[in-house]
Amino acid sequence: MIRMNDFTSEPDELRREELVAIEHVLRSGWFILGNEVRQFERTWAKFCSTKFCAGVGNGMEAIELGLRALDIGPGDEVITTSMTAIATVLAIIHAGASPVLADINLATALLDFASVERCLTPRTKAVLLVHLYGQVREMERWITFCKDKKIHLLEDCAQAHGAVWNRQHAGAFGTWGAFSFYPTKNLGAKGDAGALITNSEKIAERVKTLRNCGTVKRYEHSEAGLNSRLDELQAAILSTRINWLERFNWRRQDIARKYLAKIDNARIELLSPPNAEQSHVYHLFVVRCAERDRLAHFLEEQGIETLIHYPVPAHRQGCCQNLRCDPHGLPSAESHANQCLSLPCHPQLHDDDVAKVIATINQFE
Ligand SMILES: Cc1ncc(COP(=O)(O)O)c(C=O)c1O
């Protein structure tokens, strides 16, 4: 089977480095919020060219804590896309604010500008962009828009580790960028982990307080925080894997180039390719097909695993029934959800696997 992810075939050299990092933590006798977390925070902030980073428990809480650090909560609205992992929307709800769901641009599956404009109200405090599938696009436009409207530009970078637009990294364009290091992400831990990057010391410090039960110093809790601490083992593994991130992203981009050049079937629609190579790190390679389920079944029969990101847009989820949406509706998010299919695009994929995926898709009738 050609799988969507295959960690068992990662390079032995990486495995050895991870084992050394794990042993180092075990021997240190310190397991939560210690030197490994501080080291990882420094390294990730530097990698992304921001001044600060706060490691947290997962990507969803990175967003929630980021919003709370800006005092965005009850009575405030945050506009985001309906075509995202549900965690993006839940994080806004958990912060006490109201998500407002906007539609996507079908060429890219990213947030649509006109739709966001229709969602604005005097209560809008931020636009939370999701760099879906690994793409960072049109940042100039979003920066200017948010500046004009005097609202925060926030980035959900859970799928875009290492994506670069105009020499700037995902997460460094707005007030903060939130990352998930769920194991399958381009930079993944061996369990749950997340982080928030920012150029504001105040925001980073507030997130560090909030992630640890609102602790300012031992036995002193300034506000009702979460337990969203990053542990030393995950931080040490992430520090090791940062050194492999660019290599792995290049391989993903190489596979995507082959798919873009060679998938040739009138039944398959490709999303718009990136303007600059580094601006898409292909966490996922997504195509559309009117007969998506039949295509997925056909590929599975030929030994190719696929997944769907996402079959149900957020506004159709039970937990989002009462949320405000674009008054024009979300037709593009719905049609994308009905047709999208993610193909294997992970760094360990062999060239003959890639060739097989292409040949099989081209045979689909
Ligand atoms: C776009 C997006 N946002 C947020 C998250 C949430 O991250 P986590 O699972 O680490 O909470 C994910 C992860 O699935 C994601 O893909």
Side-chain angles (χ1 to χ4, degrees):
M1 192 76 170
I2 300 177
R3 302 236 166 251
M4 287 296 290
N5 287 292
D6 182 4
F7 299 109
T8 56
S9 57
E10 284 188 341
D12 286 342
E13 192 187 342
L14 169 56
R15 184 73 62 252
R16 277 195 296 275
E17 288 175 17
E18 287 178 324
L19 288 170
V20 169
I22 289 168
E23 183 166 13
H24 184 75
V25 173
L26 295 185
R27 288 188 186 283
S28 78
W30 191 281
F31 303 113
I32 297 214
L33 295 183
N35 286 334
E36 293 293 343
V37 169
R38 280 189 289 275
Q39 180 58 41
F40 168 69
E41 288 172 340
R42 276 193 296 273
T43 313
W44 189 235
K46 190 165 175 226
F47 183 94
C48 299
S49 303
T50 55
K51 290 190 187 145
F52 307 100
C53 171
V56 298
N58 54 65
M60 183 170 81
E61 289 170 352
I63 298 171
E64 176 186 341
L65 294 175
L67 291 169
R68 289 185 60 181
L70 293 172
D71 292 316
I72 294 178
D76 299 329
E77 292 179 345
V78 177
I79 301 172
T80 195
T81 169
S82 187
M83 181 45 60
T84 184
I86 196 67
T88 310
V89 182
L90 292 182
I92 301 169
I93 295 173
H94 291 318
S98 304
V100 180
L101 300 175
D103 207 3
I104 57 167
N105 177 337
L106 273 177
T108 59
L110 298 177
L111 206 49
D112 179 66
F113 209 76
S115 177
V116 169
E117 281 193 304
R118 286 193 293 271
C119 291
L120 277 172
T121 73
R123 300 200 304 164
T124 308
K125 290 290 183 299
V127 173
L128 175 54
L129 284 187
V130 178
H131 299 310
L132 196 72
Y133 306 149
Q135 321 170 72
V136 180
R137 291 185 192 245
E138 292 198 294
M139 293 311 295
E140 232 158 37
R141 204 173 175 196
W142 288 113
I143 292 167
T144 309
F145 177 79
C146 290
K147 240 185 212 152
D148 285 354
K149 305 292 177 201
K150 298 191 173 45
I151 56 177
H152 290 285
L153 173 61
L154 310 174
E155 298 173 71
D156 177 343
C157 309
Q159 303 187 0
H161 311 76
V164 174
W165 184 87
N166 209 3
R167 294 188 297 282
Q168 218 170 320
H169 273 84
F173 294 95
T175 308
W176 51 246
F179 288 88
S180 162
F181 303 117
Y182 187 80
T184 57
K185 303 301 187 195
N186 289 34
L187 178 62
K190 293 288 171 273
D192 277 313
L196 184 131
I197 57 168
T198 178
N199 285 315
S200 159
E201 185 168 15
K202 196 169 149 212
I203 292 171
E205 286 310 311
R206 182 109 183 260
V207 168
K208 286 180 185 177
T209 301
L210 283 167
R211 74 181 172 189
N212 191 18
C213 305
T215 308
V216 249
K217 63 179 198 218
R218 200 169 228 185
Y219 308 127
E220 210 178 297
H221 310 284
S222 56
E223 53 188 321
L226 305 185
N227 174 353
S228 187
R229 299 180 289 238
L230 179 59
D231 69 67
E232 292 283 280
L233 280 171
Q234 301 306 341
I237 288 165
L238 288 168
S239 293
T240 302
R241 294 183 73 92
I242 286 177
N243 300 322
W244 292 75
L245 176 60
E246 286 184 324
R247 237 173 301 178
F248 283 173
N249 280 349
W250 287 330
R251 178 59 184 151
R252 288 175 188 270
Q253 288 162 340
D254 187 37
I255 295 165
R257 256 195 312 275
K258 293 187 168 82
Y259 284 162
L260 287 168
K262 296 194 180 144
I263 291 179
D264 183 14
N265 181 333
R267 291 179 180 278
I268 310 295
E269 190 187 348
L270 301 169
L271 300 189
S272 171
N275 304 328
E277 195 164 28
Q278 299 309 322
S279 66
H280 196 335
V281 289
Y282 288 99
H283 173 58
L284 294 164
F285 188 96
V286 174
V287 297
R288 275 196 297 259
C289 175
E291 293 181 87
R292 187 261 316 280
D293 295 345
R294 194 166 69 78
L295 172 64
H297 184 66
F298 176 75
L299 291 169
E300 194 187 354
E301 281 188 329
Q302 308 296 319
I304 299 166
E305 185 186 22
T306 57
L307 286 172
I308 302 172
H309 299 87
Y310 295 92
V312 182
H315 68 282
R316 291 282 178 212
Q317 295 287 353
C319 59
C320 296
Q321 280 317 291
N322 299 320
L323 300 188
R324 205 162 68 72
C325 296
D326 180 343
H328 289 193
L330 302 154
S332 298
E334 299 203 349
S335 105
H336 183 77
N338 288 332
Q339 299 187 22
C340 62
L341 190 69
S342 308
L343 306 180
C345 187
H346 64 80
Q348 317 315 328
L349 216 54
H350 292 291
D351 280 344
D352 43 0
D353 296 332
V354 177
K356 179 173 170 183
V357 174
I358 293 166
T360 312
I361 288 204
N362 289 345
Q363 279 159 19
F364 178 67
E365 298 184 328

